[in-house]
Amino acid sequence: MTIAINDSTLQPAYLAKLNAEQRLAVEHGDGQIAGPLLVIAGAGSGKTNTLAHRVAHLIVKGADPRRILLMTFSRRAATEMARRVERIAGEVLGRDASVIADALAWAGTFHGIGARLLRDYALTIGLDPAFTIHDREDSADLMNLARHEFGFSKTESRFPTKGTCLAIYSRTVNAQAPLGEVLGAAFPWCSGWAEQLKKLFAGYVEAKQAQNVLDYDDLLLYWAQMAVEPEIATHLSSRFDHVLVDEYQDTNRLQASILSALKPDGAGLTVVGDDAQSIYSFRAAEVRNILDFPQQFARAADVIMLERNYRSTETILAAANAVISEASERFTKNLWSERKSSQKPKLVSVRDEAEQANYVCQAILAEREAGTVLKSQAVLFRASHHSGPLEIELTRRNIPFVKFGGLKFLDAAHVKDVLAVLRFAENPRDRVAGFRVLQLLPGIGPSAASAVVETMATSLDEAMGLARYRPPQRAAEDWPAFVSLFSGLRARSGKWPADLEQVRLWYEPHLERMHEDATTRRADLMQLEQIASGYASRERFLTELTLDPPDATSDQAGLPHRDEDYLILSTIHSAKGQEWKNVFVLNTVDGCIPADLGVGTKEDIEEERRLLYVAMTRAKDGLHLVTPQRFYPHNQPARGDRNVYASRSRFIPASILGAFEQTSWASVHAKDDPRHRPEVRVDLGARMRGMWK
């Protein structure tokens, strides 16, 4: 049920800056364990501030912070939330607030919390507490080993690649759906391999268990399976009085089942999200989780709407509301703002993608001349490759830019090498880590690496097994140093993070041998050591870094310095949660938004509509939706110079055009366009023939 607003002006000082709806959400239950609460927080409505105030209010009212579970979708978000809680609670509790905020120990991501709980209950559920966690690339490598062992890499017709196999496995686990259903809906080209995939996945699971490794999905799957055991479920539930979840619209069925097991009656459960911003179905996120939440429990959940927007002008919100109002199912809300403006969002028609790039560059430079720095402007697009023509034009005009979605630390080869050494020392049964590390040594190939791992596995002590192995002659020179390093790491003879320094010093000669840009890569490893100093142990460092890696630096040559100005380029998915003064959305046409591949079902179309809504609500003052009349379909095979004629996105029908300022734009540089041809006609063939007369 939707709660009515109490207009009482009696309120604590730390709640004074909240609006009426935010305060209602914060004070729900007034610090006591109340029934389930759903907070529908529209874009820019102060969601994070509201959730932080609710946590702080619970603590101020006497809730034990050690019994509060707060789950976000990034570790950074959890850290920021804890800082806010400390600041807010500090207004009431003074110096004691920092002690209480530090006791808010159960704040983190679903995967991070899952990893901690699994270590707590490891012996109860048959896990070795020393398990290591594979990232996606390592998981794909292990999947590939299973493919080879089953002979699926040599089938007569092409078997799905390791990455596709892992994606199918992950989707099946997180969506809690039968394999056949997942194949039919998301991987129809793989439907003929259903039986082989079942066999492969069974082998993959056995390999993980034999090697004492878990992948990302296991952190949720084991947690969910653990929670269906009555005794364990009761114990788990009793550990937390209050469970709060951010970005609930991005949860999948597996995560929803975990919450149901933690709080089967919904008591003490608060979820915050916005159904209109559910755009991650490709990661198995399920919008029905938030749509169905109010009726999920025996007692209907209370629903509070946060509709006041603190980000955008009223005209931008009017257009965004008009777009999302066409959705077939949603929580009815209309964002509003006190930020008045006479400038409507612009719907700009251009000839093609080249002209689109010219328009965006010219508009961005004009805004810059008017005093808006480049960092306050962003260009958003449906898919990463859609920015290609724009990137060329930005480079030509010497406009610096940064594109969201660069490499992560764990994607950089040299960082993966160093982390693999630590993981292999932490868990010698981790064959993927072992294979990677051993093959860093000259003279050690796949066969020798396999022999080493097998020798270690059959020895009473892994370090002794390693020392007993006789390496090939070409590896003899480097072998003693590696054995010494591994033995020291296993014995934990050094203090953390001194372990990491030892690994780096051992690895540096190999870095010099394998990479021309070794100096730059070494700087990454030094940065990794600084990061490591913030973790209490090697095990905690490996777990947290795998689950939430920071950005790398070495593979982003040309990135502007922090004190320089630069434009932001980003996919819409990566832009969620961000905001800029001016936003440009490329290719707002059918075929891009919605994408050709995103119009298969009603659900697909609705998610594409929400994607446009998310893009529009990133803008604070200026919004430009650009619609090229011709564009090149990047998702189709190359067909020479063929382009298609595009129509304005179906999500902006004629009935809502009044919310936009429509304009056409023609480049003043049209004469410089290589496709511009002079009117004169010359018969060069006749001239060539005449040369020989």
Side-chain angles (χ1 to χ4, degrees), residues 99 160 193 269 293 300 391 486 499 537 583 590 595 630 650 681 685-686:
V99 176
W193 296 105
L269 178 60
F293 185 84
E391 292 180 44
F486 182 85
D499 287 358
S537 67
V583 170
D590 268 19
R630 295 198 302 270
R650 69 187 70 179
R681 292 180 179 274

CSV table of all heavy atoms in Angstrom, one decimal, residues 99 160 193 269 293 300 391 486 499 537 583 590 595 630 650 681 685-686:
chain,number,residue,atom,x,y,z
A,99,VAL,N,32.6,5.5,15.8
A,99,VAL,CA,32.7,4.1,16.4
A,99,VAL,C,31.5,3.3,15.9
A,99,VAL,O,31.7,2.1,15.5
A,99,VAL,CB,32.7,4.1,17.9
A,99,VAL,CG1,32.7,2.7,18.5
A,99,VAL,CG2,33.9,4.9,18.4
A,160,PRO,N,29.8,-23.8,-29.2
A,160,PRO,CA,30.0,-22.5,-28.6
A,160,PRO,C,31.3,-22.3,-28.0
A,160,PRO,O,31.9,-23.2,-27.4
A,160,PRO,CB,28.9,-22.4,-27.6
A,160,PRO,CG,27.9,-23.4,-28.0
A,160,PRO,CD,28.6,-24.5,-28.7
A,193,TRP,N,22.8,-27.7,-28.9
A,193,TRP,CA,23.8,-28.3,-28.1
A,193,TRP,C,23.4,-28.4,-26.6
A,193,TRP,O,24.2,-28.6,-25.7
A,193,TRP,CB,25.1,-27.3,-28.1
A,193,TRP,CG,25.7,-27.2,-29.4
A,193,TRP,CD1,25.6,-26.1,-30.3
A,193,TRP,CD2,26.5,-28.1,-30.1
A,193,TRP,NE1,26.4,-26.3,-31.4
A,193,TRP,CE2,27.0,-27.6,-31.3
A,193,TRP,CE3,27.0,-29.4,-29.8
A,193,TRP,CZ2,27.8,-28.2,-32.2
A,193,TRP,CZ3,27.8,-30.1,-30.6
A,193,TRP,CH2,28.2,-29.5,-31.9
A,269,LEU,N,12.9,-5.5,6.2
A,269,LEU,CA,13.4,-5.4,4.8
A,269,LEU,C,13.0,-4.1,4.1
A,269,LEU,O,11.8,-3.8,4.1
A,269,LEU,CB,12.9,-6.6,4.0
A,269,LEU,CG,13.4,-6.7,2.6
A,269,LEU,CD1,14.9,-6.8,2.5
A,269,LEU,CD2,12.7,-7.9,1.9
A,293,PHE,N,7.2,-6.8,-5.9
A,293,PHE,CA,7.6,-6.7,-4.5
A,293,PHE,C,6.5,-6.4,-3.5
A,293,PHE,O,6.4,-7.0,-2.4
A,293,PHE,CB,8.8,-5.7,-4.3
A,293,PHE,CG,9.3,-5.7,-2.9
A,293,PHE,CD1,10.3,-6.6,-2.5
A,293,PHE,CD2,8.9,-4.8,-1.9
A,293,PHE,CE1,10.8,-6.6,-1.2
A,293,PHE,CE2,9.4,-4.7,-0.7
A,293,PHE,CZ,10.4,-5.6,-0.3
A,300,ALA,N,1.3,-6.9,2.8
A,300,ALA,CA,1.6,-6.1,1.7
A,300,ALA,C,2.7,-5.1,2.1
A,300,ALA,O,2.6,-4.5,3.2
A,300,ALA,CB,0.4,-5.4,1.1
A,391,GLU,N,34.4,9.9,-32.4
A,391,GLU,CA,35.8,9.9,-31.9
A,391,GLU,C,36.8,10.4,-32.9
A,391,GLU,O,37.8,11.1,-32.6
A,391,GLU,CB,36.2,8.5,-31.5
A,391,GLU,CG,35.4,8.0,-30.3
A,391,GLU,CD,35.8,6.6,-29.8
A,391,GLU,OE1,37.0,6.3,-29.8
A,391,GLU,OE2,34.9,5.8,-29.6
A,486,PHE,N,57.4,-19.3,-3.9
A,486,PHE,CA,56.2,-20.0,-3.6
A,486,PHE,C,56.2,-20.6,-2.1
A,486,PHE,O,55.2,-20.5,-1.4
A,486,PHE,CB,56.0,-21.2,-4.6
A,486,PHE,CG,54.7,-22.0,-4.3
A,486,PHE,CD1,53.5,-21.5,-4.9
A,486,PHE,CD2,54.7,-23.1,-3.6
A,486,PHE,CE1,52.3,-22.3,-4.7
A,486,PHE,CE2,53.6,-23.9,-3.4
A,486,PHE,CZ,52.4,-23.4,-3.9
A,499,ASP,N,54.2,-9.5,1.0
A,499,ASP,CA,54.0,-10.6,0.1
A,499,ASP,C,54.0,-10.1,-1.3
A,499,ASP,O,54.6,-10.6,-2.3
A,499,ASP,CB,52.8,-11.4,0.4
A,499,ASP,CG,52.9,-12.2,1.6
A,499,ASP,OD1,53.9,-12.2,2.3
A,499,ASP,OD2,51.9,-12.9,2.0
A,537,SER,N,44.5,-8.5,5.0
A,537,SER,CA,45.1,-9.8,4.7
A,537,SER,C,45.1,-10.1,3.2
A,537,SER,O,44.5,-9.4,2.4
A,537,SER,CB,44.3,-10.9,5.4
A,537,SER,OG,43.1,-11.1,4.8
A,583,VAL,N,23.9,16.9,-22.0
A,583,VAL,CA,24.0,15.6,-22.5
A,583,VAL,C,23.5,15.5,-23.9
A,583,VAL,O,22.5,16.1,-24.3
A,583,VAL,CB,23.1,14.6,-21.6
A,583,VAL,CG1,23.0,13.3,-22.3
A,583,VAL,CG2,23.7,14.5,-20.2
A,590,ASP,N,15.1,4.4,-34.6
A,590,ASP,CA,14.8,3.0,-34.6
A,590,ASP,C,16.0,2.2,-35.3
A,590,ASP,O,16.4,2.7,-36.4
A,590,ASP,CB,13.5,2.7,-35.4
A,590,ASP,CG,12.3,2.6,-34.4
A,590,ASP,OD1,12.4,3.2,-33.3
A,590,ASP,OD2,11.3,2.1,-34.8
A,595,ALA,N,17.4,-0.9,-30.3
A,595,ALA,CA,18.3,-1.6,-31.2
A,595,ALA,C,17.6,-2.7,-32.0
A,595,ALA,O,16.6,-3.2,-31.5
A,595,ALA,CB,19.4,-2.3,-30.3
A,630,ARG,N,20.2,9.0,-42.1
A,630,ARG,CA,20.9,7.8,-42.6
A,630,ARG,C,22.0,7.4,-41.6
A,630,ARG,O,22.7,8.2,-41.1
A,630,ARG,CB,21.5,8.1,-44.0
A,630,ARG,CG,20.5,8.4,-45.1
A,630,ARG,CD,21.2,8.2,-46.5
A,630,ARG,NE,22.4,9.0,-46.6
A,630,ARG,CZ,22.4,10.2,-47.1
A,630,ARG,NH1,21.3,10.8,-47.5
A,630,ARG,NH2,23.5,10.9,-47.3
A,650,ARG,N,10.7,5.1,-32.0
A,650,ARG,CA,9.3,4.9,-31.8
A,650,ARG,C,8.9,5.4,-30.4
A,650,ARG,O,7.7,5.5,-30.1
A,650,ARG,CB,9.0,3.4,-31.9
A,650,ARG,CG,9.6,2.5,-30.9
A,650,ARG,CD,9.4,1.1,-31.2
A,650,ARG,NE,10.2,0.6,-32.3
A,650,ARG,CZ,10.2,-0.6,-32.8
A,650,ARG,NH1,9.4,-1.5,-32.2
A,650,ARG,NH2,11.0,-0.9,-33.8
A,681,ARG,N,30.5,17.4,-65.3
A,681,ARG,CA,30.7,16.0,-65.7
A,681,ARG,C,31.8,15.9,-66.8
A,681,ARG,O,31.8,16.7,-67.7
A,681,ARG,CB,29.4,15.5,-66.3
A,681,ARG,CG,28.3,15.3,-65.3
A,681,ARG,CD,27.0,14.8,-65.9
A,681,ARG,NE,26.0,14.6,-64.9
A,681,ARG,CZ,25.8,13.5,-64.1
A,681,ARG,NH1,26.7,12.5,-64.3
A,681,ARG,NH2,24.9,13.4,-63.3
A,685,GLY,N,37.1,8.7,-69.8
A,685,GLY,CA,37.4,7.6,-70.7
A,685,GLY,C,37.8,8.0,-72.1
A,685,GLY,O,38.7,7.5,-72.7
A,686,ALA,N,37.0,9.0,-72.6
A,686,ALA,CA,37.3,9.6,-73.9
A,686,ALA,C,38.7,10.2,-73.9
A,686,ALA,O,39.5,10.1,-74.9
A,686,ALA,CB,36.2,10.6,-74.3
